[in-house]
Amino acid sequence: MRLSAVFIRLVAFSVAGLVSVGAARTTVSVVEERSVQGVQETLINQGYLWANVLGDGLQVIIEGQAPTEAVRFRAISAAGGIVDASRVIDNMSVADSEKIAAPEFAIEILRNDSGVSLIGLIPASTDREDLADQIRDIADGQPVTDLLEVADYPTPDNWRRALNYGFRALEMLPRSKISVNADRVIVNAISDSPEEKHRLETALARNTPDDVALSIDISAPRPVISPFTVRFGIDEDGPMFDACAADTSEAVAAIIAAASDAGYTDQVNCTLALGAPSRRWGEAVALAIKAVGDLEGGTVTIADTDITYLAPMGTDPRKFDDVIGALENALPDAFAVIAELPVMPEAIPGGPPRFTATLSPEGEVQLRGRIPDELTNTVAENFAIAKFGQGNITMGTRVVDGLPSGWSVRVLAGIEALSELSNGSIVVEPDTLEIRGNTGNEVASADISRLLIEKLGQTADFDIDVTYVKQLDPIASLPTPEECIAQISSVTADRKITFDPSSADISAGAVPLIDDIADILKKCGDLRIQVAGFTDSQGREEMNQQLSQRRADAVLTALRARRVPVSTFESIGFGEENPIADNDTEDGREANRRIEFSLIVPEPIPEEETTLEAIAEESPLPTATPDEDATDEEEAPTEEPAEDAATE
């Protein structure tokens, strides 16, 4: 009985072992089949039709002839994304490179404020270290991202000349994209102004490489306008422009010529901008303006491809049809005309309803006139508060019934238009909206015109009479750097920044003066200013220098605490140097203990003439260096303060 039990157990273990082996082989077979199938499908989907996939247990073998070494590597990487990379066996070969056509060598170089990036393919014979040194010099400390690849093929004849020219262009253009290959160089860049654009184009046109095609496209910054708008009209006061935008200088010339023919004699401020809906924008606008001149009155609004013409009251219908018909047939494709011939309105008992809003130079706003309901009255008040501030609004409106459709929209649009002015008024009536006032924004008229077109539609009739006042312009009215220093000199003529004895702590009595200086500097914009500290000659020279430095730093810290932008300021302690009075007297020592404010005026450094760029005749580039004070009359300082404001 015991022998039978042992025998049964042995048989059971044997059967279990055979079943396990069979299951393992089946599992391996399934894994192998699925692995081979998955890898093969992946390679086919990625276009590697030349590859053949085999299985050997858990290993996947890839065979075939890859066209290049890079393709072979990508095929292995693709297979490694399906199965473990350690299971992939590479049995591929690479086609003979002599039978493959040489690739096109090209570099795309992008330079901006974040650094320089290079991507492309270069010959293996290129000196990578020399190339890297050139790019690092051009980048001037900014990051350089090198994504260049190398191929071992003969170098094209013009490659080196084209590449050198691309590097010269890159050095001149801090915001640019330069594409280089052996046959062409394409330069796309942004300049700071039209004058800078012309200078750069002239410099780049010099010493162009032979047998290399050159394309240069340098643009000055342009605003993006949407909708792209022109509004021209003729009324009893004569021709007028409310808004003018153009995409090219040729378009500006065409618009000006058409306006001149229509009787416009003032200067046309037509903004060169981005966003024109058609390359034939200037032609379409000129034709629309001509129609106004032919009818001797009315207003035309061109917003993108929609042209809306509002004829003057009493226009001859036959002449109206003739002019508008000619305009419709002459316009470029995509432009559409909507023309209206007004009908004399019926008389309204008591006169037409009216809403007015006035803005005083002090910022006080008064709203008066008719409002359709209490909800609109509340909305108008809250909207005015949001635009002009709490406490500046005086309500004198009156809720009445029977107002025209869309009256609420016209009221709110008028309030928003008023917010574009420094002072002025708006008058809202059923058929028109008038805006009068002063502004510090040169393009306020165009901005208001686009606003009203957007809110009221292109057929809206409105009259804009806005005057640009330079004194109201927050940029144009900024004092010059010299004027800022002069103002500081004025407030410090009878007062000093004083410190506690033998310390760098500003005394309590000097705090009001620091406040006044901070108020002046906040209105001056970004300036390079030196805050210099001086002491008398009592004590050791080294200690005096350290004390003067701490006091200059303390003034800079006090200004920073008052939210003065001091990132371009420099504090320096001169100690007992450059006395302005006799240190042998108490009054003299008191005068020598002082804080001085002065402009840091960099000395221009002329550019060196080079055979590559030949731009020595151009304006020298300014460099910024700290002020240094001359120690005697014969030694000139590196930089001289434009003016000094002496305080302690």
Side-chain angles (χ1 to χ4, degrees):
M1 292 299 291
R2 290 184 178 178
L3 182 60
S4 298
V6 171
F7 179 75
I8 291 172
R9 290 175 181 174
L10 290 175
V11 171
F13 279 122
S14 299
V15 171
L18 291 174
V19 172
S20 299
V21 171
R25 288 182 176 179
T26 301
T27 301
V28 170
S29 177
V30 172
V31 171
E32 176 184 347
E33 181 180 353
R34 292 185 177 179
S35 298
V36 170
Q37 182 180 359
V39 172
Q40 186 73 68
E41 290 178 353
T42 298
L43 295 178
I44 291 175
N45 291 337
Q46 297 190 16
Y48 306 132
L49 304 179
W50 46 266
N52 185 32
V53 183
L54 304 175
D56 184 8
L58 295 179
Q59 293 181 330
V60 176
I61 304 170
I62 304 177
E63 296 181 345
Q65 187 179 63
T68 65
E69 184 66 30
V71 174
R72 181 193 67 83
F73 178 77
R74 287 196 289 268
I76 295 175
S77 299
I82 303 300
V83 299
D84 189 271
S86 62
R87 294 170 53 195
V88 180
I89 305 300
D90 178 14
N91 278 352
M92 293 179 287
S93 60
V94 179
D96 188 356
S97 60
E98 294 180 357
K99 299 179 182 179
I100 302 175
E104 179 184 10
F105 293 113
I107 297 181
E108 294 280 347
I109 310 173
L110 178 65
R111 183 183 182 192
N112 53 34
D113 295 337
S114 300
V116 179
S117 300
L118 301 93
I119 186 170
L121 184 68
I122 62 175
S125 59
T126 304
D127 187 341
R128 291 294 297 272
E129 190 62 32
D130 179 63
L131 185 147
D133 290 340
Q134 291 186 62
I135 294 297
R136 280 194 293 269
D137 290 342
I138 293 173
D140 193 23
Q142 292 180 320
V144 176
T145 303
D146 186 348
L147 301 177
L148 296 175
E149 295 186 3
V150 176
D152 190 7
Y153 289 91
T155 303
D157 294 337
N158 294 330
W159 171 255
R160 177 49 60 182
R161 290 194 294 272
L163 188 60
N164 286 340
Y165 180 83
F167 285 168
R168 292 200 304 271
L170 184 69
E171 187 172 6
M172 286 188 283
L173 303 169
R175 296 181 296 278
S176 60
K177 175 188 175 185
I178 300 175
S179 305
V180 179
N181 66 18
D183 300 322
R184 74 178 190 282
V185 177
I186 301 175
V187 178
N188 295 282
I190 299 175
S191 63
D192 294 330
S193 64
E195 294 77 17
E196 179 72 4
K197 173 179 180 291
H198 176 71
R199 187 187 73 81
L200 291 172
E201 288 175 340
T202 302
L204 289 170
R206 302 189 184 106
N207 301 316
T208 56
D210 297 333
D211 302 325
V212 175
L214 181 62
S215 174
I216 299 176
D217 183 10
I218 300 178
S219 60
R222 292 186 180 182
V224 178
I225 294 178
S226 179
F228 218 66
T229 306
V230 172
R231 191 169 190 267
F232 177 83
I234 299 177
D235 56 16
E236 61 274 8
D237 297 326
M240 51 80 181
F241 264 110
D242 287 335
C244 183
D247 55 340
T248 65
S249 56
E250 291 78 9
V252 173
I255 293 171
I256 292 176
S260 298
D261 292 342
Y264 189 81
T265 57
D266 294 339
Q267 181 179 354
V268 179
N269 294 321
C270 209
T271 304
L272 280 173
L274 303 176
S278 170
R279 294 182 179 179
R280 302 177 66 182
W281 169 261
E283 177 186 350
V285 173
L287 289 170
I289 292 175
K290 180 179 181 299
V292 178
D294 291 342
L295 286 172
E296 300 177 354
T299 303
V300 66
T301 302
I302 306 98
D304 289 337
T305 57
D306 296 325
I307 299 177
T308 304
Y309 178 72
L310 184 63
M313 194 74 66
T315 300
D316 183 359
R318 293 182 181 178
K319 187 176 182 180
F320 175 79
D321 291 339
D322 291 343
V323 172
I324 297 303
L327 173 62
E328 290 176 336
N329 286 280
L331 282 172
D333 294 339
F335 286 89
V337 178
I338 300 174
E340 291 189 5
L341 187 60
V343 179
M344 189 69 68
E346 297 180 1
I348 301 176
R354 170 180 288 201
F355 173 87
T356 64
T358 58
L359 170 63
S360 71
E362 296 76 26
E364 299 292 331
V365 176
Q366 293 185 348
L367 305 183
R368 302 182 184 279
R370 302 182 186 182
I371 294 291
D373 50 56
E374 288 293 345
L375 177 60
T376 302
N377 194 49
T378 302
V379 170
E381 181 180 9
N382 291 336
F383 189 58
I385 290 173
K387 290 293 183 181
F388 302 100
Q390 182 76 35
N392 295 326
I393 309 301
T394 300
M395 298 295 293
T397 54
R398 178 167 166 256
V399 176
V400 296
D401 296 327
L403 293 176
S405 174
W407 185 260
S408 300
V409 175
R410 297 174 67 82
V411 167
L412 295 178
I415 294 173
E416 187 170 359
L418 185 65
S419 68
E420 298 287 338
L421 305 179
S422 298
N423 59 79
S425 64
I426 59 105
V427 177
V428 179
E429 294 185 342
D431 298 323
T432 186
L433 193 154
E434 296 181 0
I435 304 98
R436 301 282 186 272
N438 300 318
T439 177
N441 178 8
E442 286 188 283
V443 296
S445 180
D447 292 342
I448 292 172
S449 180
R450 281 190 289 271
L451 167 67
L452 295 179
I453 290 171
E454 178 184 358
K455 302 295 184 183
L456 307 180
Q458 296 183 37
T459 60
D461 183 17
F462 51 86
D463 184 17
I464 301 174
D465 184 9
V466 174
T467 303
Y468 169 71
V469 180
K470 184 178 180 181
Q471 290 76 10
L472 300 175
D473 192 330
I475 302 300
S477 62
L478 287 178
T480 65
E482 291 75 14
E483 290 172 343
C484 288
I485 294 298
Q487 291 178 25
I488 295 177
S489 299
S490 177
V491 300
T492 57
D494 300 324
R495 296 181 291 171
K496 286 185 176 182
I497 300 178
T498 56
F499 300 85
D500 293 341
S502 301
S503 77
D505 297 331
I506 298 175
S507 64
V511 170
L513 178 56
I514 292 288
D515 292 338
D516 292 343
I517 294 174
D519 291 339
I520 293 172
L521 291 173
K522 288 177 183 178
K523 301 175 183 177
C524 291
D526 293 334
L527 298 178
R528 294 199 65 207
I529 288 182
Q530 181 187 85
V531 181
F534 297 89
T535 66
D536 57 31
S537 61
Q538 291 185 329
R540 289 192 296 123
E541 182 177 350
E542 181 180 358
M543 293 182 62
N544 286 336
Q545 190 279 326
Q546 293 175 354
L547 177 61
S548 66
Q549 181 66 59
R550 293 200 306 274
R551 288 181 170 180
D553 292 341
V555 172
L556 203 61
T557 300
L559 293 174
R560 183 183 293 108
R562 287 160 175 78
R563 300 186 180 278
V564 175
V566 297
S567 59
T568 56
F569 288 23
E570 175 185 289
S571 61
I572 185 170
F574 289 101
E576 59 191 62
E577 295 182 16
N578 305 322
I580 59 174
D582 188 357
N583 275 308
D584 293 334
T585 66
E586 180 59 34
D587 291 342
R589 289 191 293 271
E590 175 65 22
N592 289 332
R593 297 191 293 269
R594 67 194 189 277
I595 294 291
E596 288 184 355
F597 292 83
S598 61
L599 291 176
I600 300 176
V601 182
E603 179 181 348
I605 298 179
E607 298 179 354
E608 296 182 2
E609 184 174 1
T610 65
T611 57
L612 297 178
E613 295 167 337
I615 56 173
E617 72 275 16
E618 304 293 345
S619 300
L621 297 174
T623 60
T625 57
D627 286 352
E628 296 178 6
D629 288 351
T631 56
D632 54 54
E633 297 179 354
E634 289 148 6
E635 183 180 2
T638 301
E639 294 170 341
E640 296 182 1
E643 294 185 41
D644 289 342
T647 67
E648 181 176 350

